[in-house]
Amino acid sequence: MTSQEIKNRANQLERIVRLVMHGVPEEWVDRATEDQLEILWEIYVRDQKDKFEITSNANANGIGIAFGGKK
């Protein structure tokens, strides 16, 4: 396979692999329709955004405390 073919195949599989990596049972992903995969992907994206927001807030709070802010 060429480098471009590998990238194209990875792009095709990325959503499925990420869903399984994040705990969606493989049998769900294997049997899901395209619409169902889109719903699962939307849930995954929302979770990633929530995690980022929580981490950002925790970091900002920690930095504020380090510079003398209130706990």
Side-chain angles (χ1 to χ4, degrees):
M1 288 183 115
T2 67
S3 177
Q4 188 59 46
E5 289 171 330
I6 291 170
K7 288 179 183 178
N8 290 342
R9 187 66 178 138
N11 289 341
Q12 292 170 346
L13 293 174
E14 180 177 18
R15 179 178 58 174
I16 292 170
V17 171
R18 284 185 186 265
L19 288 171
V20 173
M21 285 172 38
H22 287 275
V24 177
E26 187 176 356
E27 52 275 1
W28 287 15
V29 175
D30 286 342
R31 296 178 185 163
T33 65
E34 189 61 32
D35 287 343
Q36 290 168 331
L37 286 173
E38 283 298 319
I39 292 166
L40 291 170
W41 185 251
E42 178 63 25
I43 293 168
Y44 163 76
V45 169
R46 289 179 187 182
D47 185 55
Q48 291 300 102
K49 287 179 184 176
D50 288 348
K51 285 179 185 176
F52 176 78
E53 189 69 28
I54 290 166
T55 301
S56 295
N57 289 338
N59 288 340
N61 189 45
I63 291 169
I65 291 169
F67 284 94
K70 295 182 180 181
K71 292 183 182 178

